[in-house]
Amino acid sequence: MYTQINNLNTEIVSGDDALAIARASDILRQGGLVAFPTETVYGLGADALNSDASAKIYAAKGRPSDNPLIVHIADTKAVYELAESVPEKAVMLMEAFWPGPLTVILNKKNIVPDGTTGGLDTVAIRMPSHPVAMKLIKESGVYIAAPSANTSGRPSPTLAEHVIEDMNGRIDMIIDGGAVGIGIESTIVDLTGEIPTILRPGYITGKMLEEIIGDVSIDRAIIEPDPNLRPKAPGMKYTHYAPKGEVTIVESGQNDKKVIDKINSLIAEKTAQGFKTAVIATKNNAPYYNCDNVLIVGEADKGVTISANLYAILRKCDTIGAEYIYSEALNQNELGGAIMNRLLKAAGHRVIKVH
């Protein structure tokens, strides 16, 4: 049986290895932990209907136990087994965006243990589109509870190497499926109220949702985090995605020159004090920074190039030992809301506005 959390001999396998997927499936059925790729980030999976297995996820991540887990499925029939009721708007969203980076929150049936839902009477469900994830769910025969496969608070993993950094020795197996495509976690929509509510922005935007189901609201915790709020979805309450150095966002509407000048001034000040610095910059602006560590995150007007790289860049800040990190605001693109949601959390909402 797979009962240990720490000091495990973590097996690292390829997602192309059919025998490895079979072993991973066996680990999940026996209550163990397997990290696997999805189209968003790498997930840390356990049997969602096994409360002891879910508890191992929280232990491995160092994750607060009131932070709910997302249940990954491979067939829409599973929704009716897990949820007490499935409203029409949920069906419309599933038909439009599944398999894909959308999580729906519904009232749960008793079959789903409180240990998986963070004690809530709702359940978060999604159907990933990544072929390795789908194969694992189908072959294991279990619904897989899976938050991101990182220690709690760290940037989410977009490469198997990131998972190894955080989880080697803590879990039974890591499946290497290469780089993920999207790079930020799924959009989460709560469908238990009268008006569907976005609890976490992602690749599926509010506009895309409204085109399918009409009016959608945004939870106030996305805009103004409340430390006293009991989280209804992953990422709503706690600090996330943060490197060890201090991250500060510098923004000035669309005036890039003012942002560049301010960041260069801050870099000069910290460098003179003997600190190691880094800049997170878009491709066009990168040449204008006077810093030894200019990390190009993507193209300003192409959100998916930024989302795919953001977490890897934040992790690189740790690799180079950056103590002060200055980032441009990365909101001038189609995924700006979702990207800034993650960046603001990484920065602890530390923002300098220049005029």
Side-chain angles (χ1 to χ4, degrees):
M1 292 293 289
Y2 298 87
T3 55
Q4 299 297 312
I5 292 298
N6 296 307
N7 303 314
L8 289 173
N9 182 20
T10 303
E11 187 179 1
I12 300 163
V13 301
S14 169
D16 296 327
D17 185 341
L19 289 176
I21 298 296
R23 288 199 303 278
S25 299
D26 187 50
I27 289 167
L28 290 170
R29 285 191 293 268
Q30 293 187 52
L33 301 181
V34 176
F36 62 97
T38 79
E39 72 278 19
T40 57
V41 298
Y42 274 75
L44 177 56
D47 180 353
L49 303 187
N50 180 337
S51 57
D52 290 339
S54 293
K56 291 180 185 178
I57 291 178
Y58 290 108
K61 284 178 63 72
R63 180 186 179 98
S65 61
D66 66 345
N67 205 1
L69 307 174
I70 294 174
V71 180
H72 292 64
I73 63 172
D75 191 307
T76 51
K77 287 186 289 187
V79 177
Y80 297 89
E81 295 179 24
L82 298 168
E84 191 65 46
S85 61
V86 185
E88 183 183 356
K89 287 181 179 179
V91 175
M92 293 166 71
L93 290 179
M94 290 186 286
E95 288 176 349
F97 300 115
W98 278 6
L102 177 72
T103 295
V104 297
I105 290 184
L106 303 168
N107 290 314
K108 78 177 184 73
K109 285 185 176 176
N110 290 334
I111 189 176
V112 185
D114 288 347
T116 296
T117 65
L120 299 173
D121 54 11
T122 54
V123 59
I125 308 171
R126 103 170 178 94
M127 185 190 295
S129 63
H130 196 288
V132 172
M134 288 292 274
K135 193 172 184 180
L136 185 62
I137 299 165
K138 289 176 181 177
E139 189 155 335
S140 68
V142 303
Y143 305 135
I144 302 179
S148 54
N150 55 295
T151 47
S152 193
R154 288 270 286 149
S156 299
T158 54
L159 293 168
E161 288 85 346
H162 300 158
V163 185
I164 294 167
E165 282 175 22
D166 287 10
M167 290 292 155
N168 196 21
R170 292 172 173 256
I171 65 177
D172 299 284
M173 181 180 281
I174 297 169
I175 302 174
D176 186 348
V180 302
I182 294 172
I184 56 173
E185 298 82 355
S186 61
T187 304
I188 299 179
V189 182
D190 184 356
L191 291 149
T192 62
E194 195 171 317
I195 298 175
T197 303
I198 297 172
L199 303 186
R200 182 176 71 189
Y203 184 82
I204 307 297
T205 65
K207 183 179 179 183
M208 293 164 70
L209 295 169
E210 288 181 336
E211 286 174 355
I212 303 298
I213 58 172
D215 289 346
V216 175
S217 66
I218 298 175
D219 193 279
R220 63 181 175 83
I222 291 176
I223 302 158
E224 191 175 343
D226 181 354
N228 301 310
L229 183 74
R230 187 179 187 185
K232 293 189 70 177
M236 288 190 73
K237 179 177 177 182
Y238 300 99
T239 301
H240 281 266
Y241 324 122
K244 293 170 186 173
E246 181 181 285
V247 180
T248 301
I249 302 165
V250 180
E251 67 175 6
S252 177
Q254 296 187 31
N255 192 323
D256 287 358
K257 186 178 186 308
K258 289 184 178 180
V259 169
I260 293 164
D261 289 346
K262 182 62 176 179
I263 289 178
N264 279 334
S265 171
L266 292 164
I267 291 291
E269 179 185 328
K270 292 300 180 186
T271 302
Q273 293 169 1
F275 293 107
K276 191 158 192 177
T277 58
V279 176
I280 298 174
T282 50
K283 187 177 179 180
N284 287 352
N285 292 341
Y288 304 109
Y289 289 106
N290 303 320
C291 182
D292 290 338
N293 301 298
V294 179
L295 308 176
I296 300 174
V297 70
E299 298 177 48
D301 60 348
K302 294 179 182 176
V304 74
T305 68
I306 296 173
S307 67
N309 291 318
L310 180 63
Y311 292 146
I313 290 288
L314 289 171
R315 282 180 175 264
K316 190 169 183 181
C317 290
D318 285 347
T319 303
I320 62 179
E323 296 163 284
Y324 288 91
I325 303 146
Y326 299 98
S327 177
E328 300 171 358
L330 303 172
N331 54 3
Q332 304 299 321
N333 57 73
E334 77 284 5
L335 297 180
I339 290 165
M340 288 302 293
N341 171 261
R342 273 57 168 196
L343 189 58
L344 283 163
K345 283 182 175 290
H349 288 261
R350 193 178 300 102
V351 180
I352 295 173
K353 297 186 179 183
V354 289
H355 303 286

